[in-house]
């Protein structure tokens, strides 16, 4: 019988228990002392089988990275034990350092060195030399498909290629245990599939892999998962066991927005807001023109009957449905952005305003020497609309995004924000937009409140208005208790919330969001989109890039950028319908199918 991931049994097995690679016994980790001490891990008991992939799942600040660092031998736990192949992790790392491979959450390689130089450096750190080293290089370059890019600087690799290089460096020394801390963050769906195939091949070869993630679709692929929440084990076992707990409680509500509602813009979003506030609804999210609802186990029968009467159809649950139920469901507090008039009351339904695009791109082209990063990109985004730019890493979407934000001047073409030309009046246009960068771009060494003040001043927000809005938005974004904290010490989820607050405090009519929820958990992602949708209801136009296909479902329209060109555009449902040969495809499957079709029709 296959060993299962789960809480440790009361008996204490020997240190050489067959089939178990990692054993955690009452593991605890605290930072600080006394009243200010923070417990990152609280009495973790679990077993991780050898020779397979185990998902370490949980929201930001759940304790995932702390646990991985303990297993890598980089930290000594303050309580309990972490045994790796029967020995304390720190002892094993000291005596047999090549037995553990570790890829950190942040890209930890040297960006100003080439791919090969990074491999040579890490090989020397592991004591690998001579012919054996060169043979290992050849195998790893072939395994990761990085062979043609050995002389490229690591900083110029795409997100997916950086992750492959990180894995290659972690594999030097042929470790028995491979620790991957959120390898899928910032990586497009196609590259994530390639990473998964690589790691799956390693596990089939007998390697034990721990894959940390906040993404439930990644966790669902693992044979076993350990879910952490606030430093404790929320669930341990095969993911399908947790998924079954939501059976009979998940519905697809078709026709959530009638035709008139969609023509007005946002009818399905209005339905989402209504259902999200209903007692007994644990989760609600948009899937194209439909809503996906998860009802509480103790929801009244009348609620289920109402869902069915309004066109709801029972649908099989997925792991994210069950996870949202396990953590208590969505935050049902309404967003204050719905009460705040965007751009001081100029909403999308005023006469003449709705007819004018808030964002306009006309034949935008950007060249770097002989290389064309973006070619004649054209689209418009109107008030109250969410427009998504999707594409693989290196496809040209970030270049397009930066041109529209006024951060990069196009080689040709033009663009406007809220009717102001970015090329002739860039400062005036930039004052009318809010921008949330892909990489955290606030000042890390100052207090949260000081960052907010700086950005309020940069956007020209008067002090009286700032003092009115800040308490409301800080409470809604769960930053109220952190205003005096050092910004760099915040967990990722709170950093993302702070970046959103700074981008929206001046009530912009146009909002640019570059991968706004990269790396955050499902519950935090729901909160983000609740606020974003409230802003669009007040008239904001939103341009968003994302690698996470679930949140792309919130978009009214999506443009797929690939090889510098806009290869398709349409609603999420239209893009899914274009994926011929697939039955009821997901948006991720449609995304990959569109790229593969384009490659067949336009070979290099």
């Amino acid at each position: 019988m296959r060993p299962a991931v789960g809480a440790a049994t009361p008996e204490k097995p020997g240190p050489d228990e067959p089939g178990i690679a990692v054993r955690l016994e009452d593991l605890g980790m605290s930072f600080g002392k006394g009243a200010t001490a923070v417990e990152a891990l609280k009495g973790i008991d679990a077993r991780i089988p050898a020779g397979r992939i185990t998902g370490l799942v949980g929201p930001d600040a759940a304790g995932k990275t702390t646990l991985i660092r303990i297993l890598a031998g980089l930290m000594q736990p303050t309580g309990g034990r972490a045994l790796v192949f029967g020995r304390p992790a720190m002892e094993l790392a000291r005596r047999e350092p090549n037995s553990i491979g570790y890829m950190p959450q942040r890209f930890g390689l040297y960006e100003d060195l080439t791919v090969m130089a990074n491999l040579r450096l890490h090989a020397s750190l592991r004591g690998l030399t001579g012919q054996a080293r060169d043979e290992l290089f050849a195998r790893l370059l072939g395994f990761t498909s990085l062979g043609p890019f050995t002389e490229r600087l690591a900083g110029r690799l795409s997100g997916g290629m950086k992750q492959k290089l990180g894995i290659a460096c972690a594999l030097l020394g042929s470790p028995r245990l491979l620790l991957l801390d959120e390898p899928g963050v910032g990586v497009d769906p196609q590259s994530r599939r390639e990473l998964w195939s690589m790691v799956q091949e390693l596990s089939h070869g007998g390697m034990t892999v721990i894959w940390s993630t906040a993404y439930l679709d990644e966790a669902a692929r693992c044979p076993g998962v350990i879910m952490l929440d606030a430093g404790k084990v929320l669930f341990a076992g095969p993911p399908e066991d947790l998924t079954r707990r939501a059976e009979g409680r998940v519905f697809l509500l078709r026709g959530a927005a009638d035709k008139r509602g969609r023509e007005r813009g946002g009818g399905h979003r209005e339905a989402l807001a209504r259902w999200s506030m209903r007692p007994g609804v644990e989760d609600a999210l948009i899937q194209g023109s439909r809503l996906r609802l998860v009802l509480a186990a103790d929801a009244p029968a009348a609620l289920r009957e109402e869902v069915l009467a309004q066109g709801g159809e029972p649908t099989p649950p997925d792991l994210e449905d069950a996870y949202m139920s396990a953590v208590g469901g969505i935050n049902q507090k309404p967003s204050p952005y719905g009460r705040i008039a965007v751009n001081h009351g100029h909403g999308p339904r005023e006469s003449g305003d709705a007819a004018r695009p808030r964002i306009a791109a006309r034949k935008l082209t950007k060249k770097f020497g002989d290389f064309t990063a973006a070619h004649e990109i054209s689209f418009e985004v109107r008030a109250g609309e969410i427009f998504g730019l999707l594409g693989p890493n290196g496809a040209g979407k970030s270049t397009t995004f930066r041109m529209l934000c006024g951060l990069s001047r196009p080689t040709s073409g033009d663009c406007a924000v809220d009717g102001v030309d970015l090329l002739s009046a860039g400062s005036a246009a930039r004052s009318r937009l809010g921008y949330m960068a892909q990489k955290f771009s606030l000042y890390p060494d100052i207090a949260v409140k000081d960052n907010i003040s700086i950005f309020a001043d940069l956007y020209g927000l008067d002090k009286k208005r700032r003092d009115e809005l800040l308490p409301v938005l800080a409470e809604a974004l769960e930053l109220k208790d952190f205003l005096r904290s050092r910004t760099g010490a915040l967990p990722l989820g709170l950093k993302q919330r702070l970046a959103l607050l700074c981008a929206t405090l001046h009530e912009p009519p146009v909002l640019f969001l570059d991968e706004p929820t990269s790396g955050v958990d499902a519950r935090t992602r729901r909160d983000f989109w609740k606020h974003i949708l409230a802003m669009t209801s007040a008239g904001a136009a939103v341009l968003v890039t994302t690698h996470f296909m679930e949140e792309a479902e919130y978009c009214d329209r999506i443009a797929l950028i690939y090889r510098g060109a806009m290869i398709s555009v349409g609603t999420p449902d239209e893009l899914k319908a274009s994926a011929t040969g697939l039955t009821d495809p997901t948006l991720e499957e449609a995304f990959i199918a569109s790229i593969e079709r384009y490659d067949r029709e336009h070979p290099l």
Side-chain angles (χ1 to χ4, degrees):
M1 181 176 175
R2 180 176 76 174
V5 178
T9 53
E11 65 271 18
K12 297 294 182 181
D16 57 347
E17 183 182 4
I20 298 297
V22 176
R23 198 163 76 249
L24 308 176
E25 299 176 350
D26 196 26
L27 185 69
M29 187 70 196
S30 297
F31 297 96
K33 295 181 179 180
T36 60
V38 175
E39 283 189 280
L41 297 174
K42 306 170 185 177
I44 303 295
D45 288 302
R47 297 176 188 175
I48 296 177
R52 78 177 199 192
I53 304 170
T54 294
L56 184 60
V57 190
D60 188 48
K64 302 189 302 295
T65 295
T66 298
L67 178 53
I68 280 188
R69 287 176 178 171
I70 289 173
L71 295 177
L74 300 175
M75 289 181 175
Q76 182 70 41
T78 54
R81 296 197 301 173
L83 301 178
V84 179
F85 303 117
R87 297 162 69 178
M90 189 167 280
E91 177 188 326
L92 181 66
R94 184 174 64 251
R95 294 179 181 272
E96 300 178 28
N98 286 355
S99 63
I100 301 175
Y102 170 49
M103 186 179 119
Q105 183 177 0
R106 294 182 180 178
F107 185 63
L109 307 182
Y110 291 92
E111 296 202 356
D112 53 352
L113 295 181
T114 65
V115 167
M116 183 56 77
N118 269 292
L119 286 171
R120 290 191 183 112
L121 174 61
H122 281 74
S124 65
L125 292 173
R126 291 187 175 272
L128 303 175
T129 58
Q131 184 177 352
R133 182 199 70 170
D134 294 340
E135 289 175 354
L136 182 57
F137 283 173
R139 289 200 301 273
L140 290 174
L141 290 170
F143 177 64
T144 58
S145 303
L146 288 173
F149 309 101
T150 54
E151 297 308 312
R152 181 174 294 186
L153 294 178
R156 297 189 62 186
L157 297 174
S158 69
M161 292 169 70
K162 283 182 177 179
Q163 298 299 74
K164 289 180 181 179
L165 178 57
I167 291 176
C169 289
L171 290 173
L172 290 168
S174 302
R176 298 166 64 194
L177 172 65
L178 180 62
L179 304 169
L180 303 176
D181 197 357
E182 305 210 25
V185 171
V187 176
D188 65 82
Q190 195 170 31
S191 296
R192 284 170 65 196
R193 283 194 177 187
E194 291 172 0
L195 287 172
W196 179 258
S197 296
M198 286 171 47
V199 173
Q200 201 168 36
E201 185 177 335
L202 292 170
S203 72
H204 289 162
M207 188 177 293
T208 303
V209 180
I210 298 179
W211 178 301
S212 167
T213 183
Y215 296 152
L216 276 300
D217 64 324
E218 290 182 350
R221 297 173 180 173
C222 300
V225 297
I226 298 175
M227 286 189 172
L228 298 180
D229 188 60
K232 296 181 179 180
V233 175
L234 181 69
F235 170 81
E240 55 269 23
D241 286 359
L242 180 61
T243 301
R244 275 195 289 269
R245 297 181 187 179
E247 283 183 355
R249 299 194 282 120
V250 185
F251 299 84
L252 281 179
L253 192 58
R254 303 175 190 274
D258 59 20
K259 181 179 179 182
R260 183 182 169 207
R262 289 193 294 273
E263 288 173 350
R264 294 200 307 265
H268 55 315
R269 299 201 288 266
E270 293 168 5
L272 175 70
R274 291 194 304 272
W275 283 105
S276 297
M277 298 294 294
R278 292 290 301 274
V281 174
E282 286 188 329
D283 193 21
L285 68 155
I286 291 174
Q287 288 191 336
S289 60
R290 304 173 297 180
L291 294 187
R292 188 180 186 93
L293 302 178
V294 180
L295 304 187
D298 59 353
L303 179 61
R304 177 187 174 91
E305 291 168 5
E306 182 182 350
V307 171
L308 294 172
Q310 293 194 24
E313 300 174 3
T315 192
D318 59 29
L319 184 60
E320 190 158 303
D321 298 325
Y323 171 81
M324 288 298 296
S325 181
V327 297
I330 53 177
N331 178 356
Q332 292 192 317
K333 291 181 180 179
S335 171
Y337 284 104
R339 304 192 305 269
I340 296 171
V342 173
N343 196 29
H344 305 291
H346 295 291
R349 296 171 180 82
E350 292 188 7
S351 177
D353 190 49
R356 184 185 70 192
R358 285 275 171 89
I359 304 170
R362 301 179 185 89
K363 294 189 175 182
L364 279 181
T365 298
K366 182 69 177 182
K367 295 184 178 182
F368 298 95
D370 295 332
F371 174 68
T372 302
H375 179 67
E376 294 193 350
I377 305 293
S378 299
F379 61 85
E380 293 181 345
V381 186
R382 300 190 179 278
E385 185 178 19
I386 301 174
F387 191 90
L389 287 181
L390 305 187
N393 296 108
K397 67 182 186 303
S398 292
T399 299
T400 302
F401 197 85
R402 289 176 60 82
M403 287 188 287
L404 287 163
C405 289
L407 299 175
S408 177
R409 191 172 184 85
T411 304
S412 61
D414 56 75
C415 47
V417 171
D418 203 34
V420 181
D421 192 297
L422 270 166
L423 303 183
S424 60
S427 296
R430 282 189 288 272
S431 70
R432 304 188 66 75
L433 63 87
Y435 172 53
M436 183 175 167
Q438 178 181 355
K439 293 184 178 180
F440 186 69
S441 57
L442 306 184
Y443 297 99
D445 296 323
I446 63 175
V448 167
K449 191 170 183 179
D450 293 335
N451 260 305
I452 295 170
S453 297
I454 289 171
F455 276 80
D457 291 341
L458 287 173
Y459 282 121
L461 183 65
D462 66 79
K463 188 175 183 303
K464 180 181 178 183
R465 185 63 174 163
R466 181 183 68 194
D467 292 344
E468 290 173 355
L469 293 178
L470 179 55
V472 177
L473 298 185
E475 182 172 0
L477 293 167
E478 300 179 8
L479 289 166
K480 183 179 178 181
D481 296 333
F482 299 93
L483 292 176
R484 297 188 181 277
S485 301
R486 187 176 71 86
T487 300
L490 295 177
L492 173 63
L494 289 178
K495 284 181 178 177
Q496 297 291 79
R497 291 173 186 270
L498 175 58
L500 181 64
L501 190 152
C502 289
T504 57
L505 188 63
H506 62 299
E507 305 165 87
V510 176
L511 190 59
F512 289 87
L513 304 172
D514 197 358
E515 298 192 35
T517 65
S518 180
V520 303
D521 63 284
R523 199 166 191 266
T524 301
R525 196 163 59 244
R526 303 288 195 277
D527 261 5
F528 261 68
W529 280 95
K530 175 175 66 178
H531 298 309
I532 293 166
L533 296 176
M535 283 183 256
T536 62
S537 71
V542 176
L543 182 70
V544 61
T545 70
T546 182
H547 286 314
F548 194 71
M549 294 298 102
E550 182 195 270
E551 70 181 8
E553 295 271 14
Y554 286 91
C555 298
D556 296 290
R557 290 183 297 138
I558 294 169
L560 182 54
I561 309 293
Y562 182 53
R563 284 164 49 180
M566 196 163 79
I567 65 172
S568 61
V569 63
T571 67
D573 285 346
E574 288 170 347
L575 293 184
K576 284 183 278 191
S578 70
T580 55
L582 296 174
T583 303
D584 194 21
T586 64
L587 192 53
E588 179 172 312
E589 290 169 335
F591 171 96
I592 294 172
S594 294
I595 291 171
E596 291 175 343
R597 182 173 64 245
Y598 189 85
D599 281 337
R600 289 193 301 270
E601 295 173 354
H602 303 84
L604 292 172

